[in-house]
PDB file of all heavy atoms in Angstrom:
ATOM      1  N   GLY A  28      -1.546   8.519  -6.784  1.00 80.00           N
ATOM      2  CA  GLY A  28      -1.619   8.685  -5.328  1.00 80.00           C
ATOM      3  C   GLY A  28      -0.395   9.395  -4.797  1.00 80.00           C
ATOM      4  O   GLY A  28       0.333   8.855  -3.974  1.00 80.00           O
ATOM      5  N   THR A  90      14.348   1.923   1.629  1.00 97.00           N
ATOM      6  CA  THR A  90      14.292   3.186   0.883  1.00 97.00           C
ATOM      7  C   THR A  90      12.932   3.228   0.165  1.00 97.00           C
ATOM      8  O   THR A  90      12.845   3.128  -1.054  1.00 97.00           O
ATOM      9  CB  THR A  90      15.468   3.306  -0.106  1.00 97.00           C
ATOM     10  OG1 THR A  90      15.437   2.180  -0.952  1.00 97.00           O
ATOM     11  CG2 THR A  90      16.798   3.339   0.599  1.00 97.00           C
ATOM     12  N   GLY A  91      11.909   3.361   0.971  1.00 97.00           N
ATOM     13  CA  GLY A  91      10.522   3.261   0.481  1.00 97.00           C
ATOM     14  C   GLY A  91      10.077   1.818   0.597  1.00 97.00           C
ATOM     15  O   GLY A  91      10.892   0.888   0.443  1.00 97.00           O
ATOM     16  N   THR A  92       8.792   1.605   0.892  1.00 97.00           N
ATOM     17  CA  THR A  92       8.344   0.213   1.045  1.00 97.00           C
ATOM     18  C   THR A  92       8.417  -0.548  -0.276  1.00 97.00           C
ATOM     19  O   THR A  92       8.530  -1.763  -0.281  1.00 97.00           O
ATOM     20  CB  THR A  92       6.898   0.116   1.571  1.00 97.00           C
ATOM     21  OG1 THR A  92       6.074   0.956   0.810  1.00 97.00           O
ATOM     22  CG2 THR A  92       6.795   0.479   3.015  1.00 97.00           C
ATOM     23  N   ARG A  93       8.356   0.181  -1.392  1.00 97.00           N
ATOM     24  CA  ARG A  93       8.307  -0.528  -2.673  1.00 97.00           C
ATOM     25  C   ARG A  93       9.512  -1.439  -2.866  1.00 97.00           C
ATOM     26  O   ARG A  93       9.378  -2.579  -3.305  1.00 97.00           O
ATOM     27  CB  ARG A  93       8.198   0.461  -3.827  1.00 97.00           C
ATOM     28  CG  ARG A  93       8.053  -0.255  -5.157  1.00 97.00           C
ATOM     29  CD  ARG A  93       7.559   0.634  -6.221  1.00 97.00           C
ATOM     30  NE  ARG A  93       8.636   1.441  -6.750  1.00 97.00           N
ATOM     31  CZ  ARG A  93       8.601   1.961  -7.974  1.00 97.00           C
ATOM     32  NH1 ARG A  93       7.552   1.778  -8.737  1.00 97.00           N
ATOM     33  NH2 ARG A  93       9.590   2.687  -8.405  1.00 97.00           N
ATOM     34  N   GLU A  94      10.717  -0.933  -2.526  1.00 97.00           N
ATOM     35  CA  GLU A  94      11.875  -1.801  -2.753  1.00 97.00           C
ATOM     36  C   GLU A  94      11.845  -3.001  -1.819  1.00 97.00           C
ATOM     37  O   GLU A  94      12.240  -4.101  -2.196  1.00 97.00           O
ATOM     38  CB  GLU A  94      13.194  -1.012  -2.715  1.00 97.00           C
ATOM     39  CG  GLU A  94      13.553  -0.350  -1.386  1.00 97.00           C
ATOM     40  CD  GLU A  94      14.411  -1.233  -0.492  1.00 97.00           C
ATOM     41  OE1 GLU A  94      14.586  -2.421  -0.816  1.00 97.00           O
ATOM     42  OE2 GLU A  94      14.879  -0.721   0.548  1.00 97.00           O
ATOM     43  N   LEU A  96       9.084  -4.475  -0.633  1.00 98.00           N
ATOM     44  CA  LEU A  96       8.050  -5.382  -1.149  1.00 98.00           C
ATOM     45  C   LEU A  96       8.579  -6.158  -2.347  1.00 98.00           C
ATOM     46  O   LEU A  96       8.247  -7.320  -2.557  1.00 98.00           O
ATOM     47  CB  LEU A  96       6.805  -4.583  -1.554  1.00 98.00           C
ATOM     48  CG  LEU A  96       6.000  -3.992  -0.391  1.00 98.00           C
ATOM     49  CD1 LEU A  96       5.057  -2.891  -0.888  1.00 98.00           C
ATOM     50  CD2 LEU A  96       5.204  -5.085   0.322  1.00 98.00           C
ATOM     51  N   PHE A 121      -4.481  -4.921  -7.411  1.00 97.00           N
ATOM     52  CA  PHE A 121      -3.299  -4.905  -6.534  1.00 97.00           C
ATOM     53  C   PHE A 121      -2.298  -3.830  -6.934  1.00 97.00           C
ATOM     54  O   PHE A 121      -2.318  -3.325  -8.065  1.00 97.00           O
ATOM     55  CB  PHE A 121      -2.613  -6.275  -6.587  1.00 97.00           C
ATOM     56  CG  PHE A 121      -2.169  -6.674  -7.986  1.00 97.00           C
ATOM     57  CD1 PHE A 121      -0.853  -6.536  -8.380  1.00 97.00           C
ATOM     58  CD2 PHE A 121      -3.080  -7.174  -8.900  1.00 97.00           C
ATOM     59  CE1 PHE A 121      -0.444  -6.889  -9.667  1.00 97.00           C
ATOM     60  CE2 PHE A 121      -2.681  -7.529 -10.194  1.00 97.00           C
ATOM     61  CZ  PHE A 121      -1.367  -7.385 -10.575  1.00 97.00           C
ATOM     62  N   TYR A 122      -1.433  -3.521  -5.984  1.00 97.00           N
ATOM     63  CA  TYR A 122      -0.290  -2.637  -6.229  1.00 97.00           C
ATOM     64  C   TYR A 122       0.686  -3.413  -7.111  1.00 97.00           C
ATOM     65  O   TYR A 122       1.137  -4.510  -6.742  1.00 97.00           O
ATOM     66  CB  TYR A 122       0.334  -2.261  -4.875  1.00 97.00           C
ATOM     67  CG  TYR A 122       1.517  -1.344  -4.969  1.00 97.00           C
ATOM     68  CD1 TYR A 122       1.422  -0.100  -5.583  1.00 97.00           C
ATOM     69  CD2 TYR A 122       2.746  -1.707  -4.427  1.00 97.00           C
ATOM     70  CE1 TYR A 122       2.510   0.739  -5.662  1.00 97.00           C
ATOM     71  CE2 TYR A 122       3.836  -0.870  -4.487  1.00 97.00           C
ATOM     72  CZ  TYR A 122       3.717   0.352  -5.115  1.00 97.00           C
ATOM     73  OH  TYR A 122       4.802   1.176  -5.190  1.00 97.00           O
ATOM     74  N   CYS A 124       3.665  -3.668  -8.071  1.00 97.00           N
ATOM     75  CA  CYS A 124       4.976  -4.173  -7.682  1.00 97.00           C
ATOM     76  C   CYS A 124       4.921  -5.650  -7.260  1.00 97.00           C
ATOM     77  O   CYS A 124       5.870  -6.406  -7.510  1.00 97.00           O
ATOM     78  CB  CYS A 124       5.492  -3.293  -6.549  1.00 97.00           C
ATOM     79  SG  CYS A 124       6.922  -3.905  -5.693  1.00 97.00           S
ATOM     80  N   TYR A 125       3.809  -6.072  -6.641  1.00 98.00           N
ATOM     81  CA  TYR A 125       3.734  -7.454  -6.125  1.00 98.00           C
ATOM     82  C   TYR A 125       3.969  -8.485  -7.235  1.00 98.00           C
ATOM     83  O   TYR A 125       4.662  -9.478  -7.032  1.00 98.00           O
ATOM     84  CB  TYR A 125       2.365  -7.765  -5.494  1.00 98.00           C
ATOM     85  CG  TYR A 125       1.841  -6.826  -4.441  1.00 98.00           C
ATOM     86  CD1 TYR A 125       0.470  -6.750  -4.189  1.00 98.00           C
ATOM     87  CD2 TYR A 125       2.687  -6.033  -3.679  1.00 98.00           C
ATOM     88  CE1 TYR A 125      -0.046  -5.905  -3.218  1.00 98.00           C
ATOM     89  CE2 TYR A 125       2.179  -5.179  -2.706  1.00 98.00           C
ATOM     90  CZ  TYR A 125       0.811  -5.117  -2.482  1.00 98.00           C
ATOM     91  OH  TYR A 125       0.296  -4.279  -1.526  1.00 98.00           O
ATOM     92  N   CYS A 168      -2.663  -6.242   1.418  1.00 98.00           N
ATOM     93  CA  CYS A 168      -2.547  -4.792   1.601  1.00 98.00           C
ATOM     94  C   CYS A 168      -3.732  -4.319   2.441  1.00 98.00           C
ATOM     95  O   CYS A 168      -4.881  -4.547   2.075  1.00 98.00           O
ATOM     96  CB  CYS A 168      -2.577  -4.132   0.223  1.00 98.00           C
ATOM     97  SG  CYS A 168      -2.302  -2.362   0.253  1.00 98.00           S
ATOM     98  N   PRO A 170      -4.720  -0.855   5.154  1.00 98.00           N
ATOM     99  CA  PRO A 170      -5.814  -0.514   4.249  1.00 98.00           C
ATOM    100  C   PRO A 170      -5.375  -0.729   2.799  1.00 98.00           C
ATOM    101  O   PRO A 170      -4.235  -0.442   2.458  1.00 98.00           O
ATOM    102  CB  PRO A 170      -6.075   0.962   4.531  1.00 98.00           C
ATOM    103  CG  PRO A 170      -5.509   1.226   5.897  1.00 98.00           C
ATOM    104  CD  PRO A 170      -4.369   0.282   6.061  1.00 98.00           C
ATOM    105  N   SER A 171      -6.310  -1.203   1.996  1.00 98.00           N
ATOM    106  CA  SER A 171      -5.909  -1.666   0.670  1.00 98.00           C
ATOM    107  C   SER A 171      -5.924  -0.544  -0.357  1.00 98.00           C
ATOM    108  O   SER A 171      -6.764   0.352  -0.312  1.00 98.00           O
ATOM    109  CB  SER A 171      -6.837  -2.801   0.227  1.00 98.00           C
ATOM    110  OG  SER A 171      -8.136  -2.318  -0.016  1.00 98.00           O
ATOM    111  N   ASN A 172      -4.965  -0.598  -1.240  1.00 97.00           N
ATOM    112  CA  ASN A 172      -4.956   0.197  -2.456  1.00 97.00           C
ATOM    113  C   ASN A 172      -5.352  -0.761  -3.570  1.00 97.00           C
ATOM    114  O   ASN A 172      -4.680  -1.764  -3.744  1.00 97.00           O
ATOM    115  CB  ASN A 172      -3.541   0.761  -2.682  1.00 97.00           C
ATOM    116  CG  ASN A 172      -3.400   1.448  -4.033  1.00 97.00           C
ATOM    117  OD1 ASN A 172      -4.365   1.621  -4.755  1.00 97.00           O
ATOM    118  ND2 ASN A 172      -2.175   1.818  -4.382  1.00 97.00           N
ATOM    119  N   PRO A 173      -6.452  -0.556  -4.278  1.00 97.00           N
ATOM    120  CA  PRO A 173      -7.205   0.682  -4.416  1.00 97.00           C
ATOM    121  C   PRO A 173      -8.474   0.816  -3.568  1.00 97.00           C
ATOM    122  O   PRO A 173      -9.037   1.904  -3.512  1.00 97.00           O
ATOM    123  CB  PRO A 173      -7.629   0.631  -5.890  1.00 97.00           C
ATOM    124  CG  PRO A 173      -7.839  -0.826  -6.160  1.00 97.00           C
ATOM    125  CD  PRO A 173      -6.799  -1.540  -5.327  1.00 97.00           C
ATOM    126  N   ASP A 200       1.434  -5.446   3.593  1.00 98.00           N
ATOM    127  CA  ASP A 200       1.725  -4.086   3.131  1.00 98.00           C
ATOM    128  C   ASP A 200       0.749  -3.153   3.843  1.00 98.00           C
ATOM    129  O   ASP A 200      -0.411  -3.032   3.451  1.00 98.00           O
ATOM    130  CB  ASP A 200       1.548  -4.035   1.608  1.00 98.00           C
ATOM    131  CG  ASP A 200       1.812  -2.650   1.038  1.00 98.00           C
ATOM    132  OD1 ASP A 200       2.055  -1.710   1.827  1.00 98.00           O
ATOM    133  OD2 ASP A 200       1.768  -2.509  -0.207  1.00 98.00           O
ATOM    134  N   GLU A 201       1.251  -2.498   4.898  1.00 98.00           N
ATOM    135  CA  GLU A 201       0.391  -1.624   5.700  1.00 98.00           C
ATOM    136  C   GLU A 201       0.846  -0.173   5.571  1.00 98.00           C
ATOM    137  O   GLU A 201       0.817   0.590   6.530  1.00 98.00           O
ATOM    138  CB  GLU A 201       0.393  -2.091   7.154  1.00 98.00           C
ATOM    139  CG  GLU A 201      -0.202  -3.497   7.302  1.00 98.00           C
ATOM    140  CD  GLU A 201      -0.328  -3.919   8.761  1.00 98.00           C
ATOM    141  OE1 GLU A 201      -1.349  -3.602   9.384  1.00 98.00           O
ATOM    142  OE2 GLU A 201       0.617  -4.565   9.263  1.00 98.00           O
ATOM    143  N   CYS A 202       1.254   0.190   4.341  1.00 97.00           N
ATOM    144  CA  CYS A 202       1.824   1.532   4.188  1.00 97.00           C
ATOM    145  C   CYS A 202       0.770   2.628   4.363  1.00 97.00           C
ATOM    146  O   CYS A 202       1.130   3.789   4.536  1.00 97.00           O
ATOM    147  CB  CYS A 202       2.599   1.652   2.896  1.00 97.00           C
ATOM    148  SG  CYS A 202       1.618   1.577   1.430  1.00 97.00           S
ATOM    149  N   TYR A 203      -0.520   2.268   4.368  1.00 97.00           N
ATOM    150  CA  TYR A 203      -1.562   3.278   4.639  1.00 97.00           C
ATOM    151  C   TYR A 203      -2.093   3.185   6.077  1.00 97.00           C
ATOM    152  O   TYR A 203      -3.143   3.747   6.382  1.00 97.00           O
ATOM    153  CB  TYR A 203      -2.737   3.105   3.665  1.00 97.00           C
ATOM    154  CG  TYR A 203      -2.389   3.394   2.220  1.00 97.00           C
ATOM    155  CD1 TYR A 203      -1.966   2.389   1.366  1.00 97.00           C
ATOM    156  CD2 TYR A 203      -2.448   4.693   1.718  1.00 97.00           C
ATOM    157  CE1 TYR A 203      -1.618   2.649   0.038  1.00 97.00           C
ATOM    158  CE2 TYR A 203      -2.111   4.967   0.397  1.00 97.00           C
ATOM    159  CZ  TYR A 203      -1.695   3.938  -0.423  1.00 97.00           C
ATOM    160  OH  TYR A 203      -1.358   4.215  -1.735  1.00 97.00           O
ATOM    161  N   HIS A 233       5.943  -0.656   6.267  1.00 98.00           N
ATOM    162  CA  HIS A 233       5.386   0.639   6.669  1.00 98.00           C
ATOM    163  C   HIS A 233       6.141   1.755   5.965  1.00 98.00           C
ATOM    164  O   HIS A 233       7.297   1.581   5.589  1.00 98.00           O
ATOM    165  CB  HIS A 233       5.481   0.786   8.183  1.00 98.00           C
ATOM    166  CG  HIS A 233       4.758  -0.305   8.900  1.00 98.00           C
ATOM    167  ND1 HIS A 233       3.395  -0.284   9.080  1.00 98.00           N
ATOM    168  CD2 HIS A 233       5.181  -1.486   9.394  1.00 98.00           C
ATOM    169  CE1 HIS A 233       3.024  -1.404   9.678  1.00 98.00           C
ATOM    170  NE2 HIS A 233       4.088  -2.153   9.885  1.00 98.00           N
ATOM    171  N   SER A 234       5.469   2.892   5.841  1.00 98.00           N
ATOM    172  CA  SER A 234       6.023   3.932   4.967  1.00 98.00           C
ATOM    173  C   SER A 234       5.792   5.325   5.531  1.00 98.00           C
ATOM    174  O   SER A 234       4.751   5.591   6.133  1.00 98.00           O
ATOM    175  CB  SER A 234       5.329   3.822   3.607  1.00 98.00           C
ATOM    176  OG  SER A 234       5.779   4.826   2.749  1.00 98.00           O
ATOM    177  N   LEU A 235       6.756   6.200   5.279  1.00 97.00           N
ATOM    178  CA  LEU A 235       6.517   7.618   5.590  1.00 97.00           C
ATOM    179  C   LEU A 235       5.859   8.337   4.405  1.00 97.00           C
ATOM    180  O   LEU A 235       5.484   9.497   4.520  1.00 97.00           O
ATOM    181  CB  LEU A 235       7.844   8.313   5.939  1.00 97.00           C
ATOM    182  CG  LEU A 235       8.477   7.915   7.267  1.00 97.00           C
ATOM    183  CD1 LEU A 235       9.822   8.613   7.467  1.00 97.00           C
ATOM    184  CD2 LEU A 235       7.553   8.242   8.443  1.00 97.00           C
ATOM    185  N   SER A 236       5.734   7.646   3.283  1.00 96.00           N
ATOM    186  CA  SER A 236       5.159   8.307   2.109  1.00 96.00           C
ATOM    187  C   SER A 236       3.725   8.734   2.352  1.00 96.00           C
ATOM    188  O   SER A 236       3.294   9.794   1.902  1.00 96.00           O
ATOM    189  CB  SER A 236       5.181   7.358   0.909  1.00 96.00           C
ATOM    190  OG  SER A 236       6.487   6.976   0.609  1.00 96.00           O
ATOM    191  N   LYS A 237       2.971   7.914   3.067  1.00 95.00           N
ATOM    192  CA  LYS A 237       1.540   8.198   3.252  1.00 95.00           C
ATOM    193  C   LYS A 237       1.314   8.900   4.582  1.00 95.00           C
ATOM    194  O   LYS A 237       0.711   9.945   4.641  1.00 95.00           O
ATOM    195  CB  LYS A 237       0.726   6.905   3.205  1.00 95.00           C
ATOM    196  CG  LYS A 237       1.242   5.862   2.242  1.00 95.00           C
ATOM    197  CD  LYS A 237       1.140   6.290   0.797  1.00 95.00           C
ATOM    198  CE  LYS A 237       1.709   5.224  -0.132  1.00 95.00           C
ATOM    199  NZ  LYS A 237       1.854   5.676  -1.496  1.00 95.00           N
ATOM    200  N   LEU A 241       5.360  12.138   2.705  1.00 96.00           N
ATOM    201  CA  LEU A 241       6.742  12.389   2.277  1.00 96.00           C
ATOM    202  C   LEU A 241       7.228  11.308   1.289  1.00 96.00           C
ATOM    203  O   LEU A 241       8.244  10.647   1.540  1.00 96.00           O
ATOM    204  CB  LEU A 241       7.664  12.399   3.506  1.00 96.00           C
ATOM    205  CG  LEU A 241       7.470  13.561   4.476  1.00 96.00           C
ATOM    206  CD1 LEU A 241       8.284  13.338   5.754  1.00 96.00           C
ATOM    207  CD2 LEU A 241       7.877  14.878   3.820  1.00 96.00           C
ATOM    208  N   PRO A 242       6.534  11.133   0.152  1.00 95.00           N
ATOM    209  CA  PRO A 242       6.963  10.072  -0.769  1.00 95.00           C
ATOM    210  C   PRO A 242       8.342  10.328  -1.362  1.00 95.00           C
ATOM    211  O   PRO A 242       9.037   9.395  -1.750  1.00 95.00           O
ATOM    212  CB  PRO A 242       5.874  10.080  -1.858  1.00 95.00           C
ATOM    213  CG  PRO A 242       5.275  11.442  -1.797  1.00 95.00           C
ATOM    214  CD  PRO A 242       5.354  11.871  -0.368  1.00 95.00           C
ATOM    215  N   GLY A 243       8.744  11.600  -1.396  1.00 95.00           N
ATOM    216  CA  GLY A 243      10.059  11.917  -1.964  1.00 95.00           C
ATOM    217  C   GLY A 243      11.212  11.561  -1.031  1.00 95.00           C
ATOM    218  O   GLY A 243      12.365  11.500  -1.455  1.00 95.00           O
ATOM    219  N   ARG A 245      11.586   8.711   0.369  1.00 97.00           N
ATOM    220  CA  ARG A 245      11.853   7.283   0.135  1.00 97.00           C
ATOM    221  C   ARG A 245      12.250   6.618   1.448  1.00 97.00           C
ATOM    222  O   ARG A 245      13.428   6.273   1.663  1.00 97.00           O
ATOM    223  CB  ARG A 245      12.942   7.053  -0.946  1.00 97.00           C
ATOM    224  CG  ARG A 245      12.758   7.766  -2.251  1.00 97.00           C
ATOM    225  CD  ARG A 245      11.381   7.564  -2.871  1.00 97.00           C
ATOM    226  NE  ARG A 245      11.008   6.170  -3.052  1.00 97.00           N
ATOM    227  CZ  ARG A 245       9.832   5.670  -2.643  1.00 97.00           C
ATOM    228  NH1 ARG A 245       8.912   6.415  -2.050  1.00 97.00           N
ATOM    229  NH2 ARG A 245       9.560   4.416  -2.834  1.00 97.00           N
ATOM    230  N   SER A 246      11.300   6.435   2.308  1.00 98.00           N
ATOM    231  CA  SER A 246      11.636   5.925   3.634  1.00 98.00           C
ATOM    232  C   SER A 246      10.543   5.010   4.163  1.00 98.00           C
ATOM    233  O   SER A 246       9.383   5.404   4.252  1.00 98.00           O
ATOM    234  CB  SER A 246      11.832   7.113   4.578  1.00 98.00           C
ATOM    235  OG  SER A 246      12.227   6.654   5.843  1.00 98.00           O
ATOM    236  N   GLY A 247      10.941   3.792   4.516  1.00 98.00           N
ATOM    237  CA  GLY A 247       9.996   2.837   5.074  1.00 98.00           C
ATOM    238  C   GLY A 247      10.661   1.936   6.092  1.00 98.00           C
ATOM    239  O   GLY A 247      11.854   2.075   6.412  1.00 98.00           O
ATOM    240  N   PHE A 319      -6.279   6.821   0.772  1.00 94.00           N
ATOM    241  CA  PHE A 319      -6.807   8.091   0.252  1.00 94.00           C
ATOM    242  C   PHE A 319      -7.399   7.952  -1.143  1.00 94.00           C
ATOM    243  O   PHE A 319      -7.348   8.874  -1.946  1.00 94.00           O
ATOM    244  CB  PHE A 319      -5.762   9.199   0.311  1.00 94.00           C
ATOM    245  CG  PHE A 319      -4.393   8.857  -0.240  1.00 94.00           C
ATOM    246  CD1 PHE A 319      -4.234   8.293  -1.490  1.00 94.00           C
ATOM    247  CD2 PHE A 319      -3.257   9.139   0.510  1.00 94.00           C
ATOM    248  CE1 PHE A 319      -2.985   8.008  -1.993  1.00 94.00           C
ATOM    249  CE2 PHE A 319      -1.988   8.853   0.021  1.00 94.00           C
ATOM    250  CZ  PHE A 319      -1.862   8.284  -1.243  1.00 94.00           C
ATOM    251  N   PHE A 320      -7.962   6.775  -1.422  1.00 96.00           N
ATOM    252  CA  PHE A 320      -8.592   6.581  -2.730  1.00 96.00           C
ATOM    253  C   PHE A 320     -10.092   6.349  -2.592  1.00 96.00           C
ATOM    254  O   PHE A 320     -10.544   5.741  -1.617  1.00 96.00           O
ATOM    255  CB  PHE A 320      -8.004   5.349  -3.431  1.00 96.00           C
ATOM    256  CG  PHE A 320      -6.536   5.466  -3.728  1.00 96.00           C
ATOM    257  CD1 PHE A 320      -5.609   4.697  -3.040  1.00 96.00           C
ATOM    258  CD2 PHE A 320      -6.086   6.356  -4.700  1.00 96.00           C
ATOM    259  CE1 PHE A 320      -4.251   4.797  -3.318  1.00 96.00           C
ATOM    260  CE2 PHE A 320      -4.721   6.464  -4.984  1.00 96.00           C
ATOM    261  CZ  PHE A 320      -3.808   5.689  -4.292  1.00 96.00           C
ATOM    262  N   MET A 349      -5.397  -1.886 -12.619  1.00 97.00           N
ATOM    263  CA  MET A 349      -4.749  -2.419 -11.408  1.00 97.00           C
ATOM    264  C   MET A 349      -5.090  -3.890 -11.191  1.00 97.00           C
ATOM    265  O   MET A 349      -4.688  -4.466 -10.182  1.00 97.00           O
ATOM    266  CB  MET A 349      -5.186  -1.621 -10.183  1.00 97.00           C
ATOM    267  CG  MET A 349      -4.714  -0.175 -10.216  1.00 97.00           C
ATOM    268  SD  MET A 349      -4.925   0.599  -8.618  1.00 97.00           S
ATOM    269  CE  MET A 349      -3.652  -0.211  -7.661  1.00 97.00           C
ATOM    270  N   ARG A 368     -10.484   4.509  -9.960  1.00 97.00           N
ATOM    271  CA  ARG A 368      -9.824   4.886  -8.706  1.00 97.00           C
ATOM    272  C   ARG A 368      -9.563   6.383  -8.745  1.00 97.00           C
ATOM    273  O   ARG A 368      -8.985   6.906  -9.699  1.00 97.00           O
ATOM    274  CB  ARG A 368      -8.501   4.131  -8.553  1.00 97.00           C
ATOM    275  CG  ARG A 368      -7.916   4.275  -7.153  1.00 97.00           C
ATOM    276  CD  ARG A 368      -6.494   3.759  -7.070  1.00 97.00           C
ATOM    277  NE  ARG A 368      -5.560   4.687  -7.697  1.00 97.00           N
ATOM    278  CZ  ARG A 368      -4.241   4.576  -7.635  1.00 97.00           C
ATOM    279  NH1 ARG A 368      -3.694   3.565  -6.996  1.00 97.00           N
ATOM    280  NH2 ARG A 368      -3.462   5.465  -8.223  1.00 97.00           N
TER     281      ARG A 368
HETATM  282  C1  LIG B 401      -0.167  -0.369  -1.748  1.00 83.12           C
HETATM  283  C2  LIG B 401       1.135   0.330  -1.840  1.00 83.12           C
HETATM  284  N1  LIG B 401       2.227  -0.282  -1.369  1.00 83.12           N
HETATM  285  C3  LIG B 401       3.431   0.301  -1.435  1.00 83.12           C
HETATM  286  C4  LIG B 401       3.594   1.558  -1.994  1.00 83.12           C
HETATM  287  C5  LIG B 401       4.973   2.133  -2.060  1.00 83.12           C
HETATM  288  O1  LIG B 401       5.168   3.122  -1.131  1.00 83.12           O
HETATM  289  P1  LIG B 401       6.588   3.753  -0.854  1.00 83.12           P
HETATM  290  O2  LIG B 401       6.505   5.172  -1.281  1.00 83.12           O
HETATM  291  O3  LIG B 401       6.820   3.592   0.615  1.00 83.12           O
HETATM  292  O4  LIG B 401       7.603   2.994  -1.658  1.00 83.12           O
HETATM  293  C6  LIG B 401       2.477   2.239  -2.493  1.00 83.12           C
HETATM  294  C7  LIG B 401       2.635   3.555  -3.109  1.00 83.12           C
HETATM  295  O5  LIG B 401       1.815   4.095  -3.789  1.00 83.12           O
HETATM  296  C8  LIG B 401       1.217   1.603  -2.407  1.00 83.12           C
HETATM  297  O6  LIG B 401       0.107   2.197  -2.863  1.00 83.12           O
END
Side-chain angles (χ1 to χ4, degrees):
T90 56
T92 49
R93 184 163 80 156
E94 64 92 351
L96 289 163
F121 59 100
Y122 180 58
C124 168
Y125 308 157
C168 185
S171 69
N172 172 7
D200 179 356
E201 297 185 87
C202 68
Y203 294 92
H233 302 280
S234 178
L235 290 177
S236 300
K237 325 294 178 190
L241 292 171
R245 309 309 305 130
S246 183
F319 48 51
F320 297 110
M349 295 193 71
R368 191 191 75 172

